[in-house]
Amino acid sequence: MTGTKTARISQSSSELSSSVDDLVLAFHLAADTESTSPFHAPYYATLPQPGAADDPRAMMPRCWPDAEVETLLRGSPAADEARRSCANVRSDYELITKQPGAWPSFERFDWALAMVSSRCFTLQTESGDLDALVPLADMLNHARPRETAYRVVEQEAGGGSRAEGASFEMRMLRPMARGRAVHDTYGAKGNAQLLATYGFTKLVNFEPDGSSNDVLPLPLPAAGEDEAEYRGRRGSSLVYQAPTEAPLVIGPTSYAFSPLTKALDASRAHVLDAWEREQRAAGAGSSAKRLQGVGLEVKALRALAKQLEAALGGYA
């Protein structure tokens, strides 16, 4: 990709959904694979091709038909993310290609962006972080905990001046039995992120300390909302982001207790506010007994249980 095109993408950075580095790499890959006899043709031949059975877009929810997203992901935050991501990819492409230049087709760009999101490495170099596609290393599957570590080894020319060349070095962190597959790690990511970015999920997605990488972002009711308002807000998550949510997670107390307490605090405040409004509506005087203690806790726990049942019951 020419420096002019890279500059044009960078100039639009404030309006783009994806990172500039990812978009530059995707547009370069799209254009280069459409060129005649590209230098990296042997590497490109190893990549799944657009429309092929192993095209990663077939596994990425952002590329699924709406009916499939609804059938398979209904109730999950991944459904909303798939719709947003689909719109963002199209929006980024249209914004950039409005500028003068010979740009690749959307189909080729869409495929290239899927290659970048599912295979890209962020390499730390002396001049800063660099997004790159690394042949062979990008074929390693994901596993936790980490089995490998990688780094960039930059070569110095005589006299101490830094040369242009550099190599990618990956090493095992523990002994491996002969014939066993070597894995990279894509990070401590939840299944929603793994599915959106790489097109797969893990049935067992826990860290060695027993903490789950999967989070249920439970929207919390705000004081002053009634049940109809709360349900309406939950149902409009595509256009409205709840101001408060509790990231509920399975794991040790140090991980799980704080968000659960946050959810219970919000439930308690919501129940108390609703009770006080009922008392005012009924004309109860100041002598009415205040809702507190065990009575308040029981109502708050029941309300939180209803919220959890509603959140989980919405899944396909």
Side-chain angles (χ1 to χ4, degrees):
M1 173 168 288
T2 64
T4 301
K5 287 186 176 179
T6 299
R8 288 172 179 167
I9 294 175
S10 299
Q11 289 169 2
S12 305
S13 59
S14 61
E15 302 174 69
L16 297 171
S17 300
S18 299
S19 73
V20 170
D21 288 346
D22 283 356
L23 290 171
V24 168
L25 187 55
F27 270 105
H28 173 78
L29 177 63
D32 205 34
T33 53
E34 287 185 332
S35 64
T36 303
S37 302
F39 176 80
H40 297 294
Y43 169 58
Y44 297 154
T46 69
L47 300 177
Q49 297 304 303
D54 56 353
D55 186 335
R57 291 177 298 172
M59 297 178 287
M60 291 181 173
R62 71 171 178 82
C63 301
W64 296 353
D66 288 342
E68 192 168 359
V69 171
E70 175 66 16
T71 299
L72 299 178
L73 300 179
R74 184 179 69 248
S76 166
D80 293 347
E81 176 58 30
R83 298 184 181 102
R84 282 193 294 269
S85 181
C86 178
N88 288 342
V89 171
R90 174 68 70 172
S91 175
D92 286 350
Y93 177 82
E94 291 179 351
L95 178 65
I96 291 170
T97 56
K98 281 181 181 178
Q99 303 179 62
W103 301 97
S105 66
F106 175 77
E107 169 70 12
R108 178 62 63 163
F109 163 76
D110 189 39
W111 166 83
L113 190 61
M115 292 294 104
V116 171
S117 69
S118 61
R119 291 170 174 258
C120 184
F121 285 80
T122 298
L123 308 180
Q124 296 179 340
T125 70
E126 291 182 3
S127 55
D129 289 351
L130 174 70
D131 281 3
L133 294 172
V134 183
L136 298 182
D138 66 1
M139 300 176 71
L140 296 183
N141 287 328
H142 166 69
R144 299 287 296 175
R146 178 185 294 275
E147 296 179 357
T148 58
Y150 64 85
R151 63 172 183 152
V152 174
V153 181
E154 300 187 71
Q155 306 297 325
E156 292 188 357
S161 61
R162 188 168 61 84
E164 293 295 328
S167 60
F168 177 90
E169 179 182 275
M170 178 173 281
R171 294 193 175 198
M172 299 300 303
L173 298 178
R174 54 192 173 92
M176 299 287 288
R178 182 187 297 271
R180 185 183 181 281
V182 175
H183 295 84
D184 185 25
T185 179
Y186 303 170
K189 295 179 171 64
N191 274 317
Q193 188 175 1
L194 290 175
L195 181 62
T197 307
Y198 306 103
F200 70 88
T201 60
K202 289 177 64 67
L203 183 61
V204 178
N205 195 20
F206 285 80
E207 292 296 298
D209 64 0
S211 61
S212 173
N213 289 315
D214 294 312
V215 175
L216 173 66
L218 182 71
L220 302 179
E225 279 187 326
D226 60 23
E227 286 300 316
E229 291 171 333
Y230 173 65
R231 287 196 300 269
R233 177 160 66 82
R234 286 186 68 252
S236 60
S237 59
L238 277 176
V239 295
Y240 181 84
Q241 293 296 319
T244 307
E245 64 180 24
L248 301 183
V249 64
I250 295 173
T253 302
S254 57
Y255 290 93
F257 185 73
S258 178
L260 184 61
T261 300
K262 184 178 181 180
L264 183 57
D265 286 345
S267 180
R268 186 184 301 111
H270 178 64
V271 164
L272 182 58
D273 181 78
W275 181 86
E276 290 176 342
R277 285 192 291 168
E278 289 175 2
Q279 296 301 303
R280 290 195 297 270
S286 58
S287 61
K289 186 176 181 180
R290 180 177 174 81
L291 179 64
Q292 58 186 347
V294 174
L296 174 59
E297 294 305 305
V298 169
K299 285 183 176 291
L301 285 167
R302 285 175 176 169
L304 178 57
K306 283 181 63 177
Q307 292 173 34
L308 286 168
E309 289 170 359
L312 297 176
Y315 278 74

